[in-house]
Amino acid sequence: MQSHAADNENNIASNQPRSPPAVGEEKWKPQPQRNNSNNTSAGSSLLNSPIPEKERQNIAERLLRVMCADLGTLSVVSGKEFVKLAQSLVDNGARYGAFSVTEILGNFSTLALKHLPRMYNQVKVKVTCALGSNACLGIGVTCHSQSVGPDSCYILTAYQVEGSCIKSYVLGIKGVDIRDSGDLVHHWVQNVLSEFVMSEIRTVYVTDCKVNSSAFSKAGMCLRCSACALTSVVQSVLNKRTLQARNMHEVIELLNVCEDLAGSAGISKETFGSLEETSPPPCWNSITDSLLLVHERYEQICEFYSRAKKLNLIQNLNKHLLSNLAAILAPVKQAVIELSNESRPTLQLVLPTYVKLEKLFTSKANDAGIVSKLCHLFLEALKENFKVHSAHKVAMILDPQQKLRPVPPYQHEEIIGKVCELIHEVKESWAEEPDFEPASKKSRTPSESSPTREEDRSGKSEVYDYLQEPLFQAAPDLFQYWSCVTQKHTKLARLAFWLLAVPAVGARSNCVNMCEQALLIKRRRLLSPEDMNKLMFLKSNML
C-alpha cells in the first residue's frame, strides 16, 4: 500500500507542468510576530503592516465574496489550514515575485483534486497502520444510513482502543439508492474493510434500523443500534394506527395537542429554552420530544397562552395522562442519551438498560386505566425490538462497577457461560500475542497451545476470581482499570479492550452532517463518487 501511494506521488510529479516550486507546508516557518499570542502585539503588528490599508480592504472584500458564495466557508477562512494556504501564496510571491495565480497554479479545484489520490493514500496508510497495530482481539464497526428523498448515504466507521480512549476512523462513505439490497451494502462494507483491516481481526458490527443486518451476521457478531431499538419500542406503541385499533383515542388526542404546541411559535427554544444540553442521536423519536417538552414547560406554556388569550389548546390537554406518559418516556429518552455517549464506553450499559426499563414498565403495568394498557404494550415492544446479545452480556460483566449486579441471580450462570464461551472461541489468537499472556504461559510449546480442558477450566477460574473481587463504588475509567489488571486477568482484559470499544449506538454526532454533505455533492454532481469518498475520508481522518 505504501508503494502504491508512492507511485501515485511520482506520477503526479512527472505530469506537473513546469512552474515555480510550491513551498511545502513543512518548509514554511512563520515569522515570530505572526505566532505571538499576545493580542496587543498582534494589534501593533497589523498597524505596522507593510500592506497599505486600501489593499487590506480589497482582500477583505474578496474574503466577503467567498463567504457570501457559500456560508459554509465562514469558519473555513479563519481556520489554520486556510491561513497556511494564504501564507504559502504570500511566501511564493516574496520568493519568485508577483505572478498570476491562474496561469501558474491553474484552477484551484483541479489542482487540489489532482493531488487528492496522493494525500488519500498517505492518510490511508496511517489509518491502516493504526488499525493493524492494535493489540486487541478486534474492533467495532458501525454502518449508519442517512436518507434524503430517494437517495441514501452509508458511512462506515471503525472503533478501537488506543491508550485509554476510544479512537474512531471513518473508512468509507457511499451514496446508494434506497432500494438497493442489503447484500450490495454488505459487499461494499467487506471490500472497504479488506483494504484497512487484516482478516484475522475480529469485528463486531453495529447497524441502524435502515441497514439490513442479516447480511452482516454472516461475517461476525452483528448488533442493532440501541437507540434505534428504543425508538422502535416507542414508535410501535405510540403509532396512531395501533392506538386507534386499541380504542386509545385520548392518547392520540394528547399526542396531537403536544405536537401542535411544540410546533407553535409560543413554545420555541428561544422562548422557553431546550430541555437539556445533551441531544439524543438522530434516530430518536421526535413525537416523544414534543410530549416531554410540553410536560417540562407546562406552567410556562399555560402562562404564555393565558396572556395571549388562547386557552383552547391548553384546555384540550389531559394533564393527568401527560404526566403518566412523561414518567414512562423520560427514562427511555435518558437511556438513549446515555447509550449514545461518545466520550466513554457504552456497550456494557445495554443489558442494564433493558432490565431497568423492564422493571419500570412492569411496575406501572399494575396501575389502573389506560396507563396499565400502555405499559403492557411497552413491555411487549421492548421484548420484540430491544434485543440483548451475548456481546452485551459479556460487556456488562467487564464493568467492575456492575459485573452481575444489574441482573437477577438466576441469570448469573448463563452470563458467566457466555463469557467462557467467548474466551474459548478466541483463545487461539492469544498465542499470537504473547504480550498479553502471563509470564507462566509465555514459554509454552506449540503442542501445549492447543485447546485443552485445563485451559477451559483456567478461563472459568479467572472469571470467578474476578467476580469475587468487590464492586467499584464509583464509575472507573474502564480502560485504565483493565490496563492495571492485565497480568492478573489476562483473558478478560483482552475481551475488555475489544468489546468495550464497540459503541452501543451506530449513529454518531458527525454522521448526519457528513452524510448530508455527501448527498449534496452527489446531487450537484460536484465530484465523482470515488473522489467524494476520498475527500470525506480526508476530512474525517486527516486532522
Side-chain angles (χ1 to χ4, degrees):
M1 190 174 294
Q2 291 177 346
S3 60
H4 179 58
D7 290 341
N8 269 319
E9 190 170 354
N10 293 334
N11 291 336
I12 292 170
S14 62
N15 296 332
Q16 188 80 355
R18 291 187 178 181
S19 60
V23 178
E25 180 181 316
E26 65 276 0
K27 294 181 180 179
W28 170 61
K29 295 182 179 179
Q31 299 298 324
Q33 65 178 8
R34 292 177 187 139
N35 281 339
N36 196 336
S37 60
N38 188 285
N39 293 334
T40 306
S41 300
S44 61
S45 64
L46 292 177
L47 293 175
N48 299 328
S49 173
I51 301 177
E53 182 61 27
K54 186 175 182 180
E55 293 301 323
R56 292 173 60 82
Q57 292 177 1
N58 290 336
I59 295 173
E61 181 180 339
R62 284 172 173 77
L63 285 173
L64 288 173
R65 290 180 181 275
V66 172
M67 292 179 179
C68 293
D70 185 357
L71 294 178
T73 59
L74 286 170
S75 59
V76 175
V77 295
S78 59
K80 62 179 182 180
E81 297 302 329
F82 187 86
V83 173
K84 289 179 181 179
L85 169 63
Q87 186 62 51
S88 296
L89 295 174
V90 170
D91 291 346
N92 275 283
R95 183 172 300 179
Y96 303 109
F99 56 84
S100 171
V101 172
T102 54
E103 290 179 6
I104 300 299
L105 300 179
N107 182 278
F108 273 24
S109 295
T110 304
L111 176 65
L113 292 177
K114 188 176 182 180
H115 288 262
L116 178 60
R118 177 178 62 85
M119 289 196 66
Y120 171 78
N121 283 323
Q122 288 178 350
V123 178
K124 183 179 180 181
V125 168
K126 294 180 181 179
V127 173
T128 305
C129 290
L131 293 174
S133 64
N134 184 16
C136 304
L137 288 172
I139 60 174
V141 174
T142 61
C143 186
H144 170 67
S145 173
Q146 186 78 19
S147 300
V148 178
D151 296 324
S152 184
C153 177
Y154 289 84
I155 178 169
L156 193 69
T157 310
Y159 299 83
Q160 71 173 13
V161 177
E162 294 183 11
S164 60
C165 62
I166 301 174
K167 180 72 175 178
S168 64
Y169 299 95
V170 173
L171 303 184
I173 296 181
K174 182 178 179 63
V176 297
D177 192 284
I178 198 171
R179 295 179 293 272
D180 289 334
S181 65
D183 288 335
L184 177 65
V185 178
H186 171 66
H187 291 318
W188 168 72
V189 169
Q190 294 306 309
N191 289 336
V192 173
L193 287 179
S194 66
E195 297 181 13
F196 291 92
V197 183
M198 293 181 292
S199 58
E200 60 267 22
I201 297 295
R202 296 175 178 270
T203 304
V204 177
Y205 296 98
V206 180
T207 62
D208 58 32
C209 57
K210 298 178 183 178
V211 179
N212 187 353
S213 60
S214 59
F216 290 90
S217 59
K218 303 173 185 176
M221 283 191 283
C222 185
L223 312 176
R224 189 183 182 188
C225 167
S226 297
C228 291
L230 288 176
T231 299
S232 298
V233 171
V234 174
Q235 287 178 337
S236 63
V237 175
L238 298 185
N239 182 280
K240 293 182 180 178
R241 290 184 178 179
T242 303
L243 294 173
Q244 192 169 11
R246 296 178 181 273
N247 294 321
M248 297 184 180
H249 302 291
E250 57 267 52
V251 180
I252 299 176
E253 184 179 355
L254 175 64
L255 294 176
N256 290 335
V257 172
C258 289
E259 283 187 88
D260 292 339
L261 288 173
S264 66
I267 193 174
S268 64
K269 289 184 178 180
E270 290 76 13
T271 305
F272 299 118
S274 58
L275 284 179
E276 70 286 309
E277 296 179 1
T278 306
S279 59
C283 49
W284 176 239
N285 182 267
S286 59
I287 298 177
T288 305
D289 274 350
S290 301
L291 188 144
L292 292 175
L293 181 62
V294 172
H295 176 262
E296 180 74 17
R297 311 299 185 194
Y298 181 77
E299 299 298 332
Q300 294 167 288
I301 292 171
C302 290
E303 182 181 352
F304 179 86
Y305 280 101
S306 63
R307 288 201 303 261
K309 297 181 179 180
K310 296 179 180 179
L311 296 176
N312 54 328
L313 281 176
I314 301 299
Q315 291 172 350
N316 295 328
L317 193 65
N318 188 332
K319 179 68 186 307
H320 178 70
L321 182 58
L322 174 66
S323 299
N324 284 320
L325 260 180
I328 297 173
L329 295 175
V332 179
K333 182 178 180 180
Q334 183 59 35
V336 170
I337 293 174
E338 292 175 358
L339 290 170
S340 60
N341 190 298
E342 299 181 18
S343 61
R344 60 177 183 264
T346 53
L347 195 70
Q348 78 282 2
L349 302 177
V350 174
L351 178 53
T353 297
Y354 180 93
V355 174
K356 188 186 303 182
L357 293 178
E358 186 181 40
K359 289 180 179 178
L360 171 69
F361 300 148
T362 303
S363 64
K364 292 185 175 295
N366 297 323
D367 295 347
I370 195 169
V371 175
S372 175
K373 295 180 181 178
L374 284 172
C375 285
H376 279 100
L377 293 177
F378 273 113
L379 275 172
E380 294 176 7
L382 185 70
K383 295 176 181 178
E384 181 179 351
N385 295 283
F386 197 86
K387 302 297 183 182
V388 177
H389 298 274
S390 297
H392 298 134
K393 299 175 182 179
V394 177
M396 179 196 70
I397 211 174
L398 294 172
D399 184 349
Q401 190 186 19
Q402 296 186 134
K403 295 185 180 179
L404 293 169
R405 182 173 57 177
V407 296
Y410 70 87
Q411 294 184 7
H412 290 185
E413 284 300 322
E414 179 205 350
I415 296 176
I416 293 173
K418 296 294 183 183
V419 178
C420 295
E421 285 178 13
L422 193 55
I423 290 176
H424 178 75
E425 288 178 12
V426 302
K427 67 182 177 182
E428 293 180 357
S429 63
W430 292 341
E432 303 171 5
E433 298 288 345
D435 290 344
F436 269 82
E437 295 292 329
S440 60
K441 294 186 179 181
K442 287 184 179 180
S443 60
R444 64 186 181 182
T445 62
S447 61
E448 294 172 340
S449 63
S450 58
T452 62
R453 293 183 179 179
E454 184 179 350
E455 288 177 337
D456 292 341
R457 285 196 296 269
S458 68
K460 195 167 187 177
S461 175
E462 181 179 313
V463 175
Y464 279 106
D465 289 343
Y466 163 71
L467 293 175
Q468 288 175 0
E469 296 175 359
L471 292 171
F472 276 59
Q473 298 303 315
D477 184 321
L478 293 179
F479 298 125
Q480 187 176 4
Y481 166 80
W482 285 108
S483 296
C484 295
V485 299
T486 295
Q487 296 299 322
K488 186 178 181 181
H489 304 303
T490 308
K491 299 177 176 63
L492 291 176
R494 294 296 302 275
L495 293 181
F497 284 115
W498 170 29
L499 293 181
L500 295 179
V502 180
V505 174
R508 316 303 276 179
S509 59
N510 61 337
C511 285
V512 176
N513 186 38
M514 291 186 65
C515 287
E516 289 177 350
Q517 290 177 351
L519 292 176
L520 180 63
I521 291 173
K522 179 185 176 182
R523 284 197 302 269
R524 294 183 179 180
R525 298 180 180 178
L526 300 176
L527 296 172
S528 67
E530 183 181 358
D531 285 345
M532 181 271 292
N533 175 66
K534 291 179 178 178
L535 191 64
M536 301 300 283
F537 176 85
L538 289 181
K539 173 183 172 66
S540 305
N541 302 308
M542 188 166 58
L543 299 180

